[in-house]
Amino acid sequence: MPRLDKKPRVMLDEFRVKNAPDDYGMADEKWSFKKFAKSFKIHIVRLDNTEMEFDLIGIQPAFANAFRRLMLSEVPSMAIEKVMIRNNTSIIQDEVLAHRLGLIPLKADPRLFEYKPEDAAEATEFDTLEFSLKVKCTNNKSQPKDSYRPEDLFENNCVYSSQMKWHPIGNQASVHKEADVGPVHGDILISKMRPGHELDLQLIAVKGIGKDHAKFSPVATASYRLLPDIRLTREVNGGEATLLQSCFSPGVIAIDEDGCARVAEPRYDTCSRNVYRYDEIKDAVELSRIRDHFIFNVESVGAMAPNIIFVEAVKILRDKCKSLLDELNTL
Amino acid sequence: MGEINKHSDWDNNKGLREPVKTLEEKWKLVPSFLQVKGLVKQHIDSFNYFINVEIKKIVQANEKVFCEADPLFYIKYLNAYVGTPDLEEGYNVTKPTTPHECRLRDMTYSAPITVDIEYIRGNQRVIKNKQLIGRMPLMLRSSNCVLTNKSDFELAQLNECPHDPGGYFIIRGQEKVILIQEQQSRNRMIVDEFKGAIQCQVTSSTHEKKTRTNVIVKNGKYVLRHNALSDDIPIAVAFKAMGICSDQEIMQLIGTDDTTMKKMGPCIMDCHNMKIFTQNQALTYIGSKLKAKRYQTGNSRTPVDEARDLLATTILAHVAVENFNFYVKAIYLAIMVKRVIDAESNKAAIDDPDYYGNKRLELAGSLLALMFEDLFKRFNWELKTTADKIIPKVKAAPFDVVKHMRPDLISNGLFAAISTGNWTIKRFKMERHGVTQVLSRLSYISALGMMTRVNSQFEKTRKVSGPRSLQPSQWGMLCPSDTPEGESCGLVKNLALMTHITTECSEEPISKLACNAGVEDVRLLGGEEINHPAVYMVFLNGNILGVSRQYKRLIRVFRMFRRRGLISAFVSIYPNHNQRTVYICSDGGRLCRPYIIVENGRPLVQQLHINELNRGIRKFQDFLNDGLIEYLDVNEENDSHIATVEADIDPYVTTHLEIEPFTILGVCAGLVPYPHHNQSPRNTYQCAMGKQAMGTIGYNQKNRIDTLMYNLVYPQCPMVKTRTIELTNFDKLPAGQNATVAVMSYSGYDIEDALILNRASIDRGYGRCLVYKSSKTTMKRYSNQTSDRILGPSRDANTGKVIRAHEILDTDGIAAPGEMVENRQVLINKQMPPATLNPVVQGQPQQVDYKDVPVTYKGPVESYIEKVMVSSNSEDAFLIKILLRQTRVPEIGDKFSSRHGQKGVTGLIVQQEDMPFNDRGICPDMIMNPHGFPSRMTVGKTIELLAGKAGLMEGKFHYGTAFGGSKVRDVCNELEKHGYNYHGKDIFYSGITGEPLEAYIYSGPVYYQKLKHMVQDKMHARARGPRAVLTRQPTEGRSRDGGLRLGEMERDCLIGYGASMLLMERLMLASDAFSAHICGACGRLASRAWCHACRSSAAVSAVEMPYACKLLFQELASMNIVPKLTLKKYC
């Protein structure tokens, strides 16, 4: 860990967020690549298939924010865009059904697909995934006696996303594996039905970006917070120490054997600032956050691993910069 | 009352001094009350009383019909019944029906009214049972309705929502509510000041008559004024006419104290001066003042007889006179005079006309009873006239009156009254409009709110504050918040949650009990005894019952009997010490509500009772039966000492305890969380807006075909509930969604209450709504054997393709379900025969030139066809209904509102990445500008946000019940427990710069309602378009594609600015410019360059003027006013 005292910070006062008195904001600093390269660090804290927590240290908020924004709205993903309704006799309206289907996250690597041209009439194997959903609710012939639960009385009384069936176009069957295409979660309830209700739908998924519709966003959310920093300005012990401890998230404040409170791990703090509730210990702490230490949290919707989403976002930023430079050069 | 004096040993009683323990979960009495009495129970009770009891009474009161032609002929009604709902399918074939079928098929939900009759046919006496005389519209959930006592499952099979309150009628497919009508109570003395003079007024109302009698002061003398008399009658004359001939007796009746004697002196003198000493002289005097009757009946009676009759039956009609013994009526009149004398010296004795104890609420049952009695009388009169006409004729078959009983008269009379809302009863000179309204089905709450609405008879246009202002006696009976703004403010009110409106109960047992309790008959007593200071006069429903020497005992006995359940729970008794009277009321239409009885400073309802209630072994009725709870009406409430909470109980005076304070609010105000923290007008605004919020209207909403219905796609139960929400089932049929709101400013698009919405939230379904509209048509059959027809889609002659307008039609000529309809496309391809009246000559070839009368879709945005219904209506014609659906996504300009009267339109829709976010990555769904708070003072909203946020973390609903609910302190502690700031303010980062915002942002979930006002229904612009035929000016209004008016005030601005050419352009060129020909010689309008007056075209020139101006000239000319124009050369 680098020494935090040298770091720029924002002060969390009781009623406002305030920059440190000697801090004029990072926009004021002169950009130097060398300095940046020296100080910039990425530290991955946690990574699994759907979630990732990592620190970006020593970067300007504009960049950090750009990555966040790109992940939310410009990293592409696949989602159902068109629903051809052959038959829908369920109580759910056609438009609402289509909207619900659109929001189902799909397992499909968007990097393997292209955007469908706006004027394209025919779907091709490169830009479209096709599914069908054909469900009919009937009375359960072998229903157990004395049961009044709908799941016993009827068959297919609930339509789940797992009932969607993939129809490969062209040579998609050879390119993609069956397991790699389809809804991420099989237990998403699409509709409830009763005997006589029937769904016969053709679902067409295309590649898109979150800017167009939230369903194309590859992340459930991607956001960051600044690293909290807590300093004790005086010694706090005894009852005050336990009170202090209770004002912060668990693990933030530790109490030594001599009953003296010390800051153990400020990272865990939620910055609830509840210390300010107690006049007696209000003056003992200085709350702040490190301005160039971003703790990112990326929750993937399931189609791509969160680390890949981040890398994609970086690539998009790179491409954008490139195209800007190209434009400028042609002037 | 009364009991408190008994406790002489209170000092020794230590228990009295102990603080009263609060009853836990006392509020559970409220749902238990609503189970028995319900919110619309008053409507249903009143209607049940009408169809089961009162209709029989009415028929009995008019039981015999005679005819003049045959003295032996008569019809006698033996009994009357209202049956179960059915439909008449063809002649004499009926089939049972359900309310939903009636709604869909535009039928009337009604039941047959049958009577048992005994009549003379020829020379025989015939008894006929179950003779149909008419059809009675049935109130839903009344005793004869198919929906009563059905389980939820059975209701579902009948296509009915279990939460639907009922209490309305279905007339020709329309749901109609008979609003509760508020009016002054009848048969009561009201002392008021009219133009500086004191008067005592009594509006008497009996089955036959409705009259008004006044005692007023005129030139220092007391006179009797009545409509049937042409002049005021001196009061002494009136007494003498009633047989109280000696002056001493008159004075004894009125009072023999000095002031009264002094004031009455001139009246007695007057009488002497007029030389009226005997009853006959007095009656002659009154007879001379009778208003001349317009039509004279055959046997003319003497004026004395007429006067005596008038006194007996018309003046103070509700005081019964037997064998012309006027004594009781004289006492009544004496009391009226006494009241006036009292009020002259003591202004406090003047009654407050707005006091709710003197008001009665008229419900559907009593209104329908009036209407039915009127129609039944007319029905009998018609029978009599037909009998008169037919019996004298010699005929083969004897006259059978049954064949002349037309049920249409009564049915149509009732149907028409309910469907138009015009209540015209000639007998009572009653003519009321707007008694019924179409049940508003915008949301569940709007329908429920309508059932509790109280309409005042007061004129809306009058500018008086008295009837509009909040009356202290409204406490607990009428909601203090729920009233509309504007012209009907304070005149239209809503019932509170626990209010019950009494139905009439029999007087007989009450008068018997009173006599047993020491009330002495007034007829046996003289004036001195009646007016003795120790004696209290006892009134029963405004009539003198007698006098009592021990009024306290009388009241105590009555209350004891009532608590024991020996007399009706709704009988009220209360003393008036100034008037030295005890009033007993058992009439219908009084407002009352239940209270817990407190005795010796202890509420009788104990914790163990509540526990029993919780276990379901005790019902609300048991509390009444055990005498733990009783109903108090407004007057008796005034005689009680009621504690709001247990802590307020004063052992020496308290008589009752409030069940739950939140029940002073009504259904609509009950939705507001923490209303006691809001500025009061905000709650009133929310009451109006809650009715416009879309959401769900009932579990059967998908089976309904309404002309307009708004539904939310994903409605939610509010995070912060109230007890009322649970009691009214709003949580099961919600209208709104919990939005995560950040209170901060963002861009400039949030000024003036505008809201910022998150695009991603909208993408994910926030605020998405469904709008259903229906179109319908009937296939009529005409008298000339022709009928309307529907053709399949037309094809283009050249291409053979279906034309665009008919693209969505099925082969049967009706649009197919699931199709998308665009503007001007045909929904039903209907055609009409050209001639509908002249009979088609047989043998001629069928006419082919049918006229196209298609049902087309109009609207800038396309719709989808949800469903098509083909059925038949009551005229046996084909009825086709098409339900159209639109799904709408929130857009800029759509109106949203929280539950605190804070409405706003969407100002901007922002991408999710531009929205601020907090440490946990939460983006708000909505940003609200903080400037909305300081001036509105809706603290309740800030608490709702806090409680909602804590509820999210804890996974539970918080309660914002009025005068209770979750405490802010507890809520804050809960937030702290979950690592949130206890103020509810979080650190947010700007979505645009990525840096932390300088202020902590107050954020959390707030329940937001989407209101029915949407941009799509309002947007309108026009360049050129239709014009009115007469004036050639552009048409008005969006529906007619009208122009946008440059109004008077805008015109003033332009005049002030001096922009004359712009004015000319806007007011004339862009509107109705017209080139008129004017003859310069005579100055008149010329017709096409030729002046008819001058017979020349020499001086005719064209002048540009508004067409309306030319029209004015012509109209003036037609009235023999000739406008002449003087022309000058222009440039």
Side-chain angles (χ1 to χ4, degrees):
Chain A
M1 263 293 175
R3 277 177 51 78
L4 288 177
D5 1 339
K6 291 278 148 53
K7 292 272 183 178
R9 61 184 70 232
V10 277
M11 313 303 295
L12 304 183
D13 285 4
E14 190 173 356
F15 297 114
R16 59 179 293 205
V17 182
K18 198 169 74 178
N19 282 353
D22 55 339
D23 183 5
Y24 300 102
M26 265 176 256
D28 241 30
E29 287 171 25
K30 210 176 165 203
W31 169 260
S32 110
F33 181 74
K34 236 186 225 168
K35 199 175 152 199
F36 171 72
K38 206 182 106 195
S39 66
F40 180 65
K41 276 192 197 79
I42 292 188
H43 178 65
I44 295 177
V45 179
R46 181 158 49 87
L47 172 65
D48 59 33
N49 276 337
T50 55
E51 248 184 288
M52 171 163 79
E53 187 180 320
F54 62 97
D55 293 12
L56 286 190
I57 306 159
I59 195 170
Q60 301 210 330
F63 281 105
N65 192 35
F67 294 137
R68 183 189 70 86
R69 293 167 59 91
L70 288 170
M71 281 189 281
L72 281 173
S73 70
E74 292 204 55
V75 175
S77 77
M78 302 286 285
I80 293 166
E81 172 72 2
K82 284 207 158 56
V83 179
M84 312 291 185
I85 297 174
R86 285 197 207 92
N87 196 5
N88 170 21
T89 50
S90 74
I91 57 149
I92 202 155
Q93 298 85 356
D94 295 353
E95 302 94 283
V96 178
L97 183 68
H99 174 242
R100 290 178 72 86
L101 288 164
L103 289 173
I104 295 172
L106 292 182
K107 259 189 304 194
D109 194 336
R111 290 170 297 179
L112 303 177
F113 291 90
E114 284 161 16
Y115 292 106
K116 188 175 175 187
E118 247 169 65
D119 48 352
E122 279 296 300
T124 66
E125 57 191 85
F126 308 111
D127 57 23
T128 306
L129 281 174
E130 212 180 285
F131 299 90
S132 72
L133 184 63
K134 205 171 169 178
V135 191
K136 191 174 179 181
C137 181
T138 48
N139 274 316
N140 190 357
K141 297 269 157 48
S142 57
Q143 58 174 281
K145 279 237 167 82
D146 307 328
S147 174
Y148 285 96
R149 297 189 313 165
E151 51 266 46
D152 292 337
L153 289 177
F154 317 118
E155 272 193 76
N156 287 328
N157 77 100
C158 290
V159 184
Y160 292 104
S161 51
S162 57
Q163 283 165 288
M164 281 164 52
K165 215 179 142 232
W166 176 45
H167 296 283
I169 315 173
N171 67 346
Q172 276 181 345
S174 55
V175 178
H176 306 280
K177 271 181 278 171
E178 178 91 41
D180 289 341
V181 180
V184 175
H185 307 281
D187 57 348
I188 298 172
L189 182 65
I190 295 168
S191 172
K192 287 197 175 183
M193 304 207 290
R194 283 293 176 272
H197 291 176
E198 190 177 348
L199 288 182
D200 187 359
L201 317 170
Q202 186 190 359
L203 319 171
I204 290 162
V206 296
K207 184 170 159 177
I209 56 171
K211 216 175 212 167
D212 289 340
H213 194 283
K215 69 187 172 188
F216 288 118
S217 185
V219 288
T221 192
S223 82
Y224 58 74
R225 62 190 176 106
L226 297 175
L227 178 74
D229 185 31
I230 300 161
R231 284 186 217 180
L232 296 182
T233 51
R234 64 171 168 87
E235 198 161 278
V236 181
N237 43 24
E240 284 189 353
T242 41
L243 180 64
L244 186 75
Q245 194 178 30
S246 73
C247 289
F248 292 90
S249 305
V252 175
I253 303 285
I255 299 175
D256 293 337
E257 297 89 57
D258 54 352
C260 203
R262 82 184 147 78
V263 179
E265 189 49 90
R267 189 188 169 93
Y268 298 151
D269 191 35
T270 54
C271 290
S272 65
R273 314 177 309 283
N274 285 331
V275 216
Y276 293 130
R277 246 182 125 171
Y278 307 103
D279 287 334
E280 60 269 38
I281 50 168
K282 219 176 184 175
D283 57 327
V285 280
E286 191 187 66
L287 301 179
S288 62
R289 307 191 95 164
I290 309 299
R291 290 192 37 166
D292 64 351
H293 188 135
F294 298 92
I295 303 172
F296 259 86
N297 191 44
V298 179
E299 287 172 39
S300 165
V301 128
M304 283 191 284
N307 53 334
I308 297 172
I309 294 172
F310 182 72
V311 173
E312 285 297 306
V314 176
K315 278 187 195 156
I316 288 166
L317 184 62
R318 186 195 62 194
D319 293 347
K320 281 188 179 233
C321 294
K322 252 190 201 157
S323 61
L324 176 68
L325 286 176
D326 290 349
E327 285 295 317
L328 288 175
N329 289 338
T330 55
L331 282 177
Chain B
M1 256 311 275
E3 286 92 331
I4 46 169
N5 303 334
K6 284 196 306 187
H7 313 303
S8 50
D9 58 339
W10 52 265
D11 255 340
N12 317 329
N13 195 343
K14 261 185 117 185
L16 268 184
R17 294 250 170 111
E18 280 172 18
V20 181
K21 250 191 252 160
T22 334
L23 288 168
E24 299 288 326
E25 297 189 306
K26 193 174 49 157
W27 64 271
K28 288 213 166 138
L29 280 167
V30 186
S32 161
F33 166 78
L34 291 176
Q35 243 171 30
V36 247
K37 284 298 170 192
L39 288 163
V40 297
K41 192 67 178 174
Q42 44 266 9
H43 285 273
I44 295 167
D45 275 356
S46 126
F47 186 76
N48 283 347
Y49 180 76
F50 167 54
I51 56 170
N52 296 324
V53 182
E54 201 161 5
I55 198 166
K56 293 186 192 206
K57 281 193 193 163
I58 290 169
V59 169
Q60 213 163 45
N62 305 287
E63 65 177 350
K64 276 187 179 157
V65 182
F66 297 103
C67 99
E68 277 157 29
D70 181 1
L72 291 176
F73 177 82
Y74 73 94
I75 312 168
K76 188 181 175 199
Y77 294 100
L78 303 172
N79 209 343
Y81 319 87
V82 176
T84 51
D86 57 13
L87 288 179
E88 280 173 350
E89 304 263 16
Y91 187 71
N92 265 354
V93 181
T94 56
K95 117 184 187 323
T97 186
T98 64
H100 198 70
E101 185 187 1
C102 294
R103 260 179 231 144
L104 289 179
R105 291 182 55 194
D106 290 356
M107 305 283 232
T108 302
Y109 187 61
S110 60
I113 311 167
T114 51
V115 286
D116 296 344
I117 50 171
E118 179 187 304
Y119 67 103
I120 301 290
R121 184 173 62 201
N123 299 321
Q124 281 174 304
R125 202 183 64 178
V126 183
I127 288 182
K128 184 155 196 297
N129 287 343
K130 304 282 175 199
Q131 168 62 33
L132 182 75
I133 58 162
R135 297 183 66 80
M136 173 68 59
L138 273 193
M139 181 181 273
L140 271 79
R141 311 242 170 178
S142 65
S143 62
N144 289 22
C145 175
V146 289
L147 305 180
T148 24
N149 300 326
K150 288 268 158 62
S151 67
D152 285 9
F153 179 74
E154 286 169 308
L155 286 173
Q157 284 186 317
L158 296 171
N159 272 327
E160 205 61 40
C161 175
H163 300 307
D164 186 74
Y168 53 90
F169 300 88
I170 299 171
I171 309 288
R172 296 191 251 277
Q174 254 193 334
E175 294 168 319
K176 287 276 186 180
V177 188
I178 299 181
L179 296 183
I180 305 171
Q181 305 286 322
E182 174 193 305
Q183 51 188 225
Q184 266 325 317
S185 64
R186 288 178 298 235
N187 304 345
R188 299 292 194 282
M189 292 177 208
I190 306 280
V191 181
D192 57 350
E193 210 171 345
F194 184 70
K195 288 179 185 163
I198 309 279
Q199 61 169 4
C200 181
Q201 192 177 70
V202 178
T203 315
S204 321
S205 165
T206 60
H207 268 289
E208 287 81 36
K209 281 206 178 72
K210 206 172 164 188
T211 66
R212 182 178 296 165
T213 315
N214 292 301
V215 171
I216 59 170
V217 191
K218 200 174 170 188
N219 306 327
K221 282 173 257 177
Y222 302 102
V223 291
L224 178 81
R225 180 177 285 175
H226 194 274
N227 266 349
L229 297 167
S230 59
D231 203 0
D232 299 338
I233 307 288
I235 206 75
V237 178
F239 277 113
K240 292 198 174 171
M242 289 185 189
I244 315 293
C245 290
S246 87
D247 295 344
Q248 185 186 355
E249 242 183 305
I250 295 174
M251 284 317 297
Q252 279 177 334
L253 283 180
I254 296 172
T256 46
D257 53 304
D258 285 351
T259 45
T260 315
M261 302 263 268
K262 217 178 274 170
K263 291 205 166 178
M264 275 301 291
C267 302
I268 305 277
M269 284 284 287
D270 216 27
C271 194
H272 276 259
N273 292 343
M274 287 193 293
K275 305 242 175 334
I276 295 169
F277 304 107
T278 65
Q279 184 172 14
N280 231 26
Q281 282 171 326
L283 287 172
T284 317
Y285 176 83
I286 295 175
S288 69
K289 302 286 181 191
L290 285 178
K291 265 188 191 160
K293 273 185 186 161
R294 225 166 276 159
Y295 51 92
Q296 210 69 36
T297 40
N299 49 338
S300 57
R301 292 184 297 172
T302 59
V304 173
D305 284 341
E306 294 257 346
R308 191 185 285 125
D309 225 46
L310 181 88
L311 273 183
T313 61
T314 310
I315 292 176
L316 296 173
H318 69 288
V319 184
V321 171
E322 277 170 44
N323 292 328
F324 296 108
N325 179 359
F326 288 107
Y327 191 57
V328 178
K329 198 169 268 192
I331 296 170
Y332 196 91
L333 189 64
I335 294 169
M336 287 174 74
V337 177
K338 197 159 63 176
R339 290 274 160 84
V340 176
I341 293 172
D342 283 351
E344 274 179 316
S345 52
N346 176 18
K347 292 280 176 213
I350 296 175
D351 290 315
D352 181 355
D354 304 319
Y355 175 61
Y356 265 85
N358 291 328
K359 299 251 180 173
R360 294 293 177 270
L361 301 190
E362 231 174 358
L363 289 159
S366 48
L367 284 166
L368 275 176
L370 283 177
M371 184 52 80
F372 175 76
E373 185 161 13
D374 200 52
L375 290 167
F376 187 62
K377 281 193 165 146
R378 208 181 311 160
F379 178 80
N380 286 339
W381 182 80
E382 231 164 68
L383 282 183
K384 179 182 167 294
T385 45
T386 38
D388 284 349
K389 235 184 279 168
I390 295 175
I391 288 181
K393 293 180 189 165
V394 185
K395 273 185 151 187
F399 173 70
D400 191 352
V401 77
V402 167
K403 295 210 171 103
H404 298 274
M405 288 189 161
R406 291 193 302 116
D408 294 14
L409 179 83
I410 291 178
S411 318
N412 289 343
L414 290 170
F415 296 172
I418 296 179
S419 72
T420 60
N422 296 334
W423 234 254
T424 324
I425 290 158
K426 292 208 183 82
R427 205 152 40 98
F428 294 148
K429 295 191 189 80
M430 181 167 132
E431 198 157 327
R432 280 197 222 158
H433 303 285
V435 175
T436 63
Q437 277 180 7
V438 180
L439 181 65
S440 152
R441 284 284 189 182
L442 216 55
S443 67
Y444 172 66
I445 281 299
S446 75
L448 203 58
M450 200 154 204
M451 302 309 304
T452 59
R453 191 150 312 155
V454 178
N455 208 357
S456 165
Q457 288 297 299
F458 207 77
E459 270 181 76
K460 282 178 182 169
T461 44
R462 279 223 265 162
K463 279 190 181 148
V464 274
S465 62
R468 292 173 186 269
S469 53
L470 194 61
Q471 248 279 328
S473 53
Q474 274 182 27
W475 164 272
M477 304 294 177
L478 296 169
C479 177
S481 286
D482 196 356
T483 177
E485 299 162 70
E487 62 167 11
S488 54
C489 180
L491 297 178
V492 173
K493 290 168 274 263
N494 278 272
L495 295 181
L497 210 57
M498 295 258 266
T499 314
H500 182 72
I501 300 171
T502 58
T503 43
E504 205 177 307
C505 56
S506 171
E507 284 183 11
E508 205 179 323
I510 296 162
S511 56
K512 264 190 192 153
L513 172 64
C515 291
N516 289 342
V519 174
E520 292 162 55
D521 193 340
V522 85
R523 275 172 288 197
L524 307 174
L525 304 170
E528 272 312 318
E529 291 124 315
I530 292 169
N531 283 323
H532 192 270
V535 157
Y536 271 52
M537 179 79 75
V538 181
F539 282 86
L540 171 60
N541 291 335
N543 255 333
I544 297 170
L545 192 66
V547 293
S548 170
R549 274 178 290 184
Q550 291 172 293
Y551 80 94
K552 280 186 182 170
R553 179 166 164 266
L554 175 73
I555 291 173
R556 198 163 60 235
V557 165
F558 256 87
R559 293 203 174 142
M560 199 172 71
F561 268 61
R562 186 178 61 196
R563 288 173 192 184
R564 293 262 169 88
L566 298 171
I567 52 171
S568 163
F570 299 108
V571 173
S572 86
I573 181 165
Y574 58 97
N576 185 324
H577 298 291
N578 293 327
Q579 297 168 1
R580 284 193 286 112
T581 45
V582 172
Y583 290 99
I584 306 171
C585 294
S586 72
D587 54 341
R590 285 170 298 129
L591 287 163
C592 63
R593 75 194 288 255
Y595 285 98
I596 296 171
I597 301 167
V598 173
E599 267 172 17
N600 307 335
R602 300 275 143 195
L604 293 188
V605 175
Q606 300 288 320
Q607 196 59 52
L608 78 132
H609 299 125
I610 302 285
N611 293 344
E612 280 174 6
L613 183 74
N614 275 342
R615 279 158 52 200
I617 51 175
R618 185 175 267 279
K619 292 263 162 18
F620 193 79
Q621 193 57 44
D622 301 322
F623 283 91
L624 285 177
N625 293 347
D626 295 355
L628 308 175
I629 282 180
E630 66 178 343
Y631 287 98
L632 297 185
D633 74 350
V634 178
N635 282 309
E636 201 171 342
E637 215 178 27
N638 260 356
D639 186 43
S640 314
H641 190 286
I642 301 163
T644 324
V645 289
E646 285 85 342
D648 289 350
I649 291 177
D650 181 336
Y652 312 124
V653 291
T654 303
T655 59
H656 292 88
L657 173 68
E658 191 81 36
I659 291 180
E660 262 304 327
F662 74 78
T663 56
I664 69 158
L665 295 177
V667 178
C668 293
L671 299 190
V672 186
Y674 300 103
H676 50 304
H677 289 276
N678 282 342
Q679 187 201 11
S680 102
R682 291 291 142 193
N683 293 336
T684 305
Y685 297 155
Q686 163 56 27
C687 289
M689 272 186 298
K691 293 165 193 157
Q692 304 175 14
M694 48 179 126
T696 35
I697 62 165
Y699 289 171
N700 62 351
Q701 60 185 18
K702 295 227 60 180
N703 297 328
R704 301 174 64 100
I705 302 183
D706 292 356
T707 41
L708 191 59
M709 181 165 78
Y710 295 104
N711 282 161
L712 222 47
V713 175
Y714 298 110
Q716 291 175 342
C717 166
M719 275 308 297
V720 183
K721 297 210 262 191
T722 65
R723 294 280 175 226
T724 315
I725 283 179
E726 286 177 343
L727 297 174
T728 55
N729 294 313
F730 179 77
D731 52 344
K732 298 188 189 85
L733 289 165
Q737 286 172 322
N738 294 294
T740 303
V741 176
V743 183
M744 60 180 278
S745 94
Y746 187 92
S747 73
Y749 291 92
D750 59 351
I751 52 167
E752 290 293 325
D753 290 329
L755 299 162
I756 309 282
L757 287 187
N758 185 339
R759 144 109 336 114
S761 308
I762 294 172
D763 285 347
R764 289 172 183 132
Y766 179 80
R768 212 163 267 238
C769 67
L770 297 161
V771 179
Y772 290 98
K773 283 180 188 160
S774 78
S775 14
K776 73 170 179 195
T777 190
T778 50
M779 304 275 291
K780 289 195 190 74
R781 226 174 266 155
Y782 300 101
S783 52
N784 62 349
Q785 303 298 306
T786 56
S787 60
D788 295 341
R789 65 177 187 185
I790 300 180
L791 291 188
S794 319
R795 288 174 186 279
D796 190 288
N798 299 324
T799 55
K801 272 187 185 165
V802 172
I803 60 170
R804 202 196 78 91
H806 287 178
E807 255 168 11
I808 56 154
L809 293 183
D810 248 348
T811 45
D812 61 358
I814 305 172
E819 292 281 1
M820 184 173 86
V821 208
E822 280 167 344
N823 197 14
R824 293 184 192 190
Q825 279 192 316
V826 174
L827 296 171
I828 302 168
N829 191 20
K830 187 170 109 170
Q831 290 191 327
M832 219 171 102
T836 54
L837 293 173
N838 307 335
V840 181
V841 184
Q842 283 295 314
Q844 259 190 357
Q846 193 67 37
Q847 284 156 308
V848 277
D849 48 347
Y850 269 75
K851 197 169 67 188
D852 270 334
V853 275
V855 180
T856 48
Y857 174 72
K858 281 182 213 81
V861 182
E862 65 279 359
S863 293
Y864 294 87
I865 295 176
E866 168 93 8
K867 65 169 128 193
V868 175
M869 187 197 80
V870 180
S871 181
S872 65
N873 65 4
S874 50
E875 276 103 54
D876 235 14
F878 264 116
L879 171 74
I880 301 164
K881 282 186 174 180
I882 293 184
L883 189 63
L884 298 160
R885 153 171 48 89
Q886 279 183 345
T887 308
R888 293 190 189 169
V889 170
E891 59 181 321
I892 288 175
D894 282 1
K895 198 173 173 186
F896 286 85
S897 143
S898 71
R899 286 180 292 169
H900 304 268
Q902 302 250 50
K903 55 174 183 263
V905 293
T906 315
L908 187 69
I909 296 173
V910 174
Q911 293 286 348
Q912 186 187 353
E913 63 266 24
D914 289 337
M915 287 299 261
F917 59 97
N918 70 2
D919 271 1
R920 304 184 186 212
I922 298 171
C923 274
D925 295 315
M926 191 183 272
I927 297 178
M928 183 213 157
N929 193 303
H931 288 97
F933 282 118
S935 57
R936 275 61 174 283
M937 294 182 273
T938 50
V939 179
K941 185 169 176 179
T942 60
I943 303 177
E944 184 195 343
L945 186 146
L946 214 59
K949 193 172 179 179
L952 287 185
M953 301 325 296
E954 198 82 340
K956 70 173 191 196
F957 292 106
H958 270 289
Y959 284 88
T961 313
F963 317 113
S966 312
K967 298 264 179 303
V968 174
R969 179 180 298 274
D970 305 338
V971 166
C972 287
N973 285 337
E974 229 166 71
L975 278 177
E976 193 181 355
K977 193 174 93 190
H978 292 281
Y980 275 92
N981 177 256
Y982 75 108
H983 279 146
K985 292 171 164 190
D986 296 325
I987 298 168
F988 269 76
Y989 302 85
S990 161
I992 299 168
T993 69
E995 291 188 70
L997 297 174
E998 206 171 300
Y1000 300 119
I1001 305 298
Y1002 195 62
S1003 67
V1006 177
Y1007 196 64
Y1008 262 84
Q1009 302 158 311
K1010 188 176 185 192
L1011 305 186
K1012 64 168 184 181
H1013 307 283
M1014 282 175 287
V1015 166
Q1016 208 193 95
D1017 303 321
K1018 314 222 161 184
M1019 60 175 180
H1020 173 51
R1022 132 171 179 165
R1024 264 157 290 166
R1027 284 156 189 267
V1029 179
L1030 183 68
T1031 60
R1032 300 201 184 168
Q1033 289 172 352
T1035 50
E1036 204 181 324
R1038 187 182 112 100
S1039 55
R1040 285 183 291 256
D1041 192 23
L1044 299 156
R1045 183 181 155 89
L1046 185 103
E1048 264 172 89
M1049 297 172 93
E1050 291 81 358
R1051 184 207 62 153
D1052 294 347
C1053 291
L1054 294 180
I1055 291 172
Y1057 192 70
S1060 61
M1061 294 316 281
L1062 177 59
L1063 260 180
M1064 179 72 91
E1065 192 234 37
R1066 284 291 97 202
L1067 296 182
M1068 188 174 79
L1069 298 177
S1071 171
D1072 56 345
F1074 178 70
S1075 172
H1077 293 276
I1078 308 284
C1079 175
C1082 66
R1084 279 180 270 201
L1085 283 170
S1087 74
R1088 276 204 223 114
W1090 174 260
C1091 179
H1092 277 291
C1094 306
R1095 304 198 160 275
S1096 139
S1097 62
V1100 175
S1101 38
V1103 175
E1104 286 274 297
M1105 62 163 74
Y1107 187 82
C1109 181
K1110 175 239 154 191
L1111 188 68
L1112 174 73
F1113 291 160
Q1114 286 179 322
E1115 282 179 0
L1116 286 175
S1118 73
M1119 289 189 288
N1120 269 345
I1121 303 167
V1122 181
K1124 289 189 175 178
L1125 295 182
T1126 317
L1127 300 187
K1128 250 196 269 176
K1129 279 264 178 285
Y1130 178 65
C1131 79

